[in-house]
Structure formats: C-alpha cells, structure tokens
C-alpha cells in the first residue's frame, strides 16, 4: 500500500520505517530540510535502539523515501498519516497549529480518495476538526477553479481515522511491531477496513524481522479495537493518564512506606500479582517525565474543564508527581544538612533509560533546585552529552563516571541506565568526599552498597 507519513519525530519516523519493513511503500515528509538531509545520510535525529539499521535497510530496498515535498507525496500516496508534534501550550492544552497546517496541505492536494490518519496525540474532537479543515481547504481550491481533477462531492474524497500510537521511547520499534492492541476510530467502515489491511502483517504477526533483537511477544494475533473517532482519541489520553496515575499511586505508597518502615518494592510486588492490578508501572522513584505523560495528563485536565468536569484525580496525579521530585531535594537536605557548597553528582539526565530525551526529565528539576540551594552539581549520562536547555548552566556535564564521583558528597541516581548497575562502586566510592547515595529509581543493590560503606537512601525502601 502507498503510505505518506507527515512529520519525522518519534512517532512519524518509527511508524514510517516499520510500515516499510512490513512491505508498504512509504514516503516520510518533513518541512525541516536539515532533518531530511540527516535522514538521507542515515543519521538519526533521535536516539532509538535499532532505528538506524532499519531505516538504512528500507532506504536501500527503496521502500522508504525521505523528502520535504509534501504536496507531491500527498498526491502520490493513498494513506496519509499525520504525525506532527502537538506540544503543550502555556495553559497545558495541546498546540494544534502543525496539525492544522498539514490538514490544509492535504485539502489543497487532494487528487484522489485518501485515508487521513490522525496518529499525533490530539484532543477529543480533533478528527472532525481535521475533516473540517481539509474540506475548507478543498473548497478554497475548488473556488479558485483548481480542482485537482476532482469532479465529485467532497464526502467521498477522504475519510479521517484516529489511530493513536502507544510506543515508548527506547522500545519504540518493538512496541510498533508487537503492540498490545491497535486502535482504529472512524465513522467510516471503509477506512477501518483499509487500515486493517495496512496493519494485517502486524495483526497476524506475519512478518520476517531481519534484526531479531526485538523480543516478539508470544506472537499471538494482535487485538484491534474498532470504535468511533472520539473514543479512539480518548483511549490515548486515558491510557497515558492511567499509567501516570499508577506511578503517582505507587510513589504515594512509597512515601507512606518510608514513614511506616515498609518496603515499597515488596509492596509493589505483593499488589502487582493481583491480575486486576498488574505488576507493570509500579516502580516507585522520582516520578514520571518525558514528552508524553506530562503533556497528555495536563491536556486531559483541560479537556475535562472544557466539558465542565472536575478532574480532581488527574490534578492529584500531577501534584503527587511534582512533589516527588521535591521530596528528593528534602532528602538531600536531611542527609547533608547544609547543601550550600556541597558537591552532588547525578547518574542520568534523560527522563528514562535508552533515550536521549530530556523533556520534562525529573533529574533536571532536582538539579536546578539543588543549584539554587548553592550546591555544586555535576551530571553524567551515557547519551545526553549536550547541556539541555532547561538545565541550569551551572551544572557540570561530566564526560565520565570518575569526574561525577570525584570529590562528591553525594551521588543521586536519577535514570536507571543498565550500565549504572555495573559501576565499580568500590573504587568510585573511594573518589568521593562522603559516600552518600540516593537511589532515585530503587535500581541499585542496597546491601552491596552499604557493604562497601555507602550510606544508601532509596525511595520508600
Ligand atoms: C509513554 C507511554 O508508555 C507510551 O505508551 C506512549 O505512547 C508515550 O508515553 P514514554 O514517554 O516513552 O511512553 O515513557 P514510559 O516508559 O511510559 O515512562 C514514562 C515515565 O514514567 C518515565 O519518566 C519513567 O521513568 C516513569 N516510570 C515508568 C516510573 O517512574 N515508574 C514506572 O514503573 C514506569
């Protein structure tokens, strides 16, 4: 099938290359010339395990093309994916100007029946909104006498379908080939059937993967949720908000455990065995961040407000999460008493492992607070090498672990990169001024560290 993917961020790039890998001819379009140039020279604009080799393979097989030519790509392809960003506006609602831009482009380049797929995370009702903009742009075109050889009524010229993505950074490709479900929301049965045909290899798990590093689940048939546009849009927000709620819940439990002397890791294991609860996303720590949870949970509170619904739970989920970061600052004060003039080293900056994404990373909030309290803050991250814009410029970005441990009074683990579990803490500890560690992800071995003479502080354990 002939697919056009507009927007080559996380969602667009991963969706595009995976659709090419299962046999479709895919054109990925972006107005950012530099980005397209990078991709054409096989340099990835994002850090995502396995992405570069899959892109190269599909460029070479000519199933994947990168271009800045949006009009030609829309005209030549049948299924148009909208995968542009919907960043948060200052009030927390989603910024839809890029989606609007693309919808206008689609309308003015409609030369045959198209399926328009909303894959960007868009507020409830955006599917109909996109239809309206495409129609308006189409009419404008027709009014200007240029009908792109289209000579029948608008309605049959396109269908809009919502197909939200659930991929996680760091496992995006595996999440696309082995999803828990595929959600298709549209008023058009025709559009749903065409999308099922597009995803058929994934639905039936019938595709060869050259790179076997991706862990195929038990490759059973993937469930398809067929629904209406609005419900599909809501599934996306509800899913992310529920996962964020689960994390804020276990973090609140962790804070109670700390006072009561219980071990949150044991508590999480104990409740997680209940199939109604499930063990995933019960890792207590310094809270959630990233490009999705923060913006999606706050956008949902805005949507609720629009409908006059009070989102007390969602607001609490956000507050608990912000508090969790500040709790670490309190732990530092309890541990070091005087923070001013102390040297504190951070292990990890990215909001989670296996990504270079620092958007709304908990580590950054904590580091900025400690700098404001007069501490000398250093940080080491395996892939984040450039100073994030949101990080206080006084923070020292370390090239290696020795530098972050040397002369430090405290080490804070903020991101659970695998390599941090393999550090030689015995020799690193000797470089420190005081062997204090706050394990912000309950990731390290308390017994081993205390055995080496570290004063270990976890989150709720
Ligand atoms: C998330 C959703 O998982 C994904 O389905 C959606 O498509 C995009 O948003 P992502 O932002 O990549 O994916 O990160 P995720 O792995 O979900 O982690 C989100 C945050 O929660 C991270 O900061 C992570 O450190 C934190 N987290 C996750 C916890 O604190 N505890 C957990 O148990 C799990």
């Amino acid at each position: 099938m002939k697919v056009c993917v507009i927007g080559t961020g996380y969602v667009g790039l991963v969706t595009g290359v995976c659709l090419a890998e299962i046999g479709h001819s895919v054109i990925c379009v972006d107005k950012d010339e530099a980005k397209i140039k990078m991709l054409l020279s096989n340099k990835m604009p994002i850090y995502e395990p396995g992405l570069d080799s899959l892109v190269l393979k599909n460029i070479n097989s000519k199933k994947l093309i990168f271009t800045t030519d949006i009009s030609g790509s829309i005209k030549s392809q049948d299924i148009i994916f909208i995968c542009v960003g919907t960043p948060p506006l200052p009030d927390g609602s989603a910024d839809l100007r890029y989606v609007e831009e693309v919808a206008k482009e689609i309308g003015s380049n409609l030369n045959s029946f198209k399926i328009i797929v909303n894959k960007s995370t868009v507020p409830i009702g955006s599917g109909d909104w996109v239809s309206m903009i495409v129609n308006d742009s189409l009419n404008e075109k027709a009014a200007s006498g240029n009908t792109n050889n289209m000579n029948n009524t608008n309605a049959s010229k396109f269908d809009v379908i919502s197909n939200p993505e659930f991929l996680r950074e760091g496992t995006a490709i595996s999440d696309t080939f082995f999803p828990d479900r595929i959600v298709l929301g549209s008023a058009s049965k025709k559009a749903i059937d065409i999308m099922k045909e597009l995803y058929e290899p994934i639905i039936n798990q019938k595709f060869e993967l050259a790179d076997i590093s991706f862990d195929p689940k038990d490759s059973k048939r993937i469930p398809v949720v067929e629904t209406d546009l609005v419900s599909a849009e809501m599934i996306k927000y509800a899913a992310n908000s529920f996962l964020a709620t689960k994390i804020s819940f276990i973090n609140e439990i962790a804070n109670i455990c700390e006072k009561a002397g219980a071990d949150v890791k044991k508590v999480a294991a104990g409740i997680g065995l209940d199939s109604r609860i499930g063990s995933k996303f019960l890792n207590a720590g310094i809270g959630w961040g990233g490009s999705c949870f923060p913006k999606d949970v706050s956008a949902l509170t805005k949507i609720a407000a629009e409908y006059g619904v009070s989102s007390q739970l969602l607001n609490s989920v956000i507050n608990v999460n912000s508090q969790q970061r500040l709790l670490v600052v309190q732990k530092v004060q309890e541990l070091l008493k005087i923070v001013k003039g102390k040297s504190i080293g951070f292990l990890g900056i990215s909001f989670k492992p296996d990504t270079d994404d620092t958007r709304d990373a908990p580590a950054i909030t904590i580091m900025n607070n400690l700098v404001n309290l007069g501490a000398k803050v250093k940080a080491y991250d395996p892939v984040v090498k450039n100073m994030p814009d949101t990080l206080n410029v006084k923070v020292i970005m370390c090239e290696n672990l020795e530098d972050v441990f040397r002369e430090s009074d405290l080490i804070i683990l903020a991101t659970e990169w695998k390599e941090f579990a393999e550090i030689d803490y015995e020799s690193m500890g000797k470089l420190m001024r005081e062997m204090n560690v706050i394990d912000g992800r309950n990731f390290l071995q308390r017994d081993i560290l205390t055995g080496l003479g570290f004063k270990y502080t976890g989150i709720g354990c």
Side-chain angles (χ1 to χ4, degrees), residues 165-170 175 181 236 240 243 247 250-251 279-293 296 351-353 360 362 416 441:
E165 54 71 26
F166 303 99
L167 54 86
R168 290 163 295 165
E169 297 183 20
D175 290 346
R181 80 306 211 178
K236 174 63 187 181
N240 271 358
L243 292 170
I247 299 165
I250 200 66
N251 282 336
S279 60
K280 291 186 179 152
F281 278 60
L282 283 179
N283 301 324
I286 58 178
W288 41 265
S291 58
C292 294
F293 283 5
D296 293 349
F351 82 98
K352 64 176 212 179
D360 204 359
E416 66 276 30
R441 297 293 180 180

Side-chain angles (χ1 to χ4, degrees), residues 86-96 121 123 237 294-303 306:
T86 54
L89 288 167
D91 72 351
S93 60
D95 181 353
L96 295 176
T121 303
Y237 280 109
K295 87 174 167 69
D296 293 349
V297 181
S298 68
L300 190 52
T301 62
K302 293 287 169 226
I303 293 163
E306 262 174 42

